[in-house]
Amino acid sequence: MKAKKLSLLSSILIALAAVLVGLSLFFPWWQMIFFAPQYPEGLNIIVYPNKLEGEIDIVNGLNHYIGMENFSEENFPELAYLSFLVIGLAAITLLTAILRKKSVLYGLIGLFIIGGGLGVWDLTRALRKFGTNLSPTAPIKIDPFVPPLLGHNTVANFVTESVLGYGSYLLITAFILLMIPLWKDRTR
């Protein structure tokens, strides 16, 4: 027996998910804020899918004292191609909405899970590299550390807060929108 197509409402939800994936390109995905007595307003490293923003020069100047490598777009080659992957994911999501096949939706959800997992792994790897490869000739000696993916950490007199950006919330919302048709059309 041939499986019925996903409902029109499910197709609309999937298309909305495609729009959210595309919109995520214009918002930060992740942010680290550094607070210290001399910087009560905080210093930011803001990560978009294609660039870094924030007070990166100041953070790099301070990190020099503990022997940490500079944060720069050159140190994150993913920023050169991540936007293209996101555009591709949005296109595949829109194609899934047009085809309205549950099997294609399962594949798309798998892509979201794999992509999200790889993204978390890559960011964790980068944070570990930056926090544990400290120069032995640094003026200030501290124990190696791993900045948190999410949450807070204290190094010397700096408290860091790592948070998701609006772009990540758009992607999470898109993923939830993809899950709704699985429940809604479970008998189809």
Side-chain angles (χ1 to χ4, degrees):
M1 181 164 106
K2 185 177 176 185
K4 293 182 181 177
K5 289 189 171 205
L6 293 168
S7 68
L8 180 60
L9 177 59
S10 291
S11 182
I12 291 169
L13 291 174
I14 296 167
L16 180 58
V19 170
L20 294 180
V21 170
L23 282 176
S24 76
L25 288 169
F26 302 102
F27 295 94
W29 282 16
W30 185 78
Q31 179 176 359
M32 185 177 275
I33 311 159
F34 302 81
F35 297 99
Q38 63 272 38
Y39 299 102
E41 71 285 354
L43 300 171
N44 293 290
I45 293 178
I46 304 167
V47 181
Y48 286 80
N50 60 344
K51 64 184 176 182
L52 298 176
E53 286 188 354
E55 295 81 20
I56 295 171
D57 290 338
I58 297 171
V59 172
N60 284 336
L62 295 168
N63 283 345
H64 161 76
Y65 291 108
I66 63 170
M68 185 181 280
E69 188 177 351
N70 282 342
F71 289 103
S72 69
E73 291 179 11
E74 292 77 33
N75 288 336
F76 296 95
E78 308 85 346
L79 298 176
Y81 59 82
L82 187 56
S83 293
F84 299 110
L85 293 176
V86 174
I87 291 167
L89 184 62
I92 292 169
T93 304
L94 186 58
L95 182 63
T96 302
I98 292 167
L99 295 175
R100 295 173 56 187
K101 291 186 177 182
K102 193 179 273 191
S103 61
V104 176
L105 178 59
Y106 281 127
L108 177 62
I109 289 170
L111 281 177
F112 264 79
I113 292 169
I114 291 167
L118 285 173
V120 168
W121 171 81
D122 187 54
L123 183 55
T124 302
R125 180 193 56 77
L127 291 171
R128 183 175 294 112
K129 178 184 114 182
F130 278 98
T132 59
N133 293 331
L134 303 176
S135 172
T137 62
I140 299 174
K141 307 290 186 226
I142 65 167
D143 290 331
F145 65 99
V146 178
L149 183 67
L150 292 174
H152 69 279
N153 188 34
T154 302
V155 176
N157 67 333
F158 279 86
V159 175
T160 60
E161 290 287 332
S162 301
V163 297
L164 296 177
Y166 292 124
S168 291
Y169 289 115
L170 289 172
L171 291 172
I172 291 167
T173 303
F175 181 76
I176 292 168
L177 288 175
L178 295 178
M179 299 302 287
I180 293 171
L182 290 183
W183 174 81
K184 185 188 167 308
D185 294 342
R186 65 189 176 278
T187 58
R188 285 184 177 243

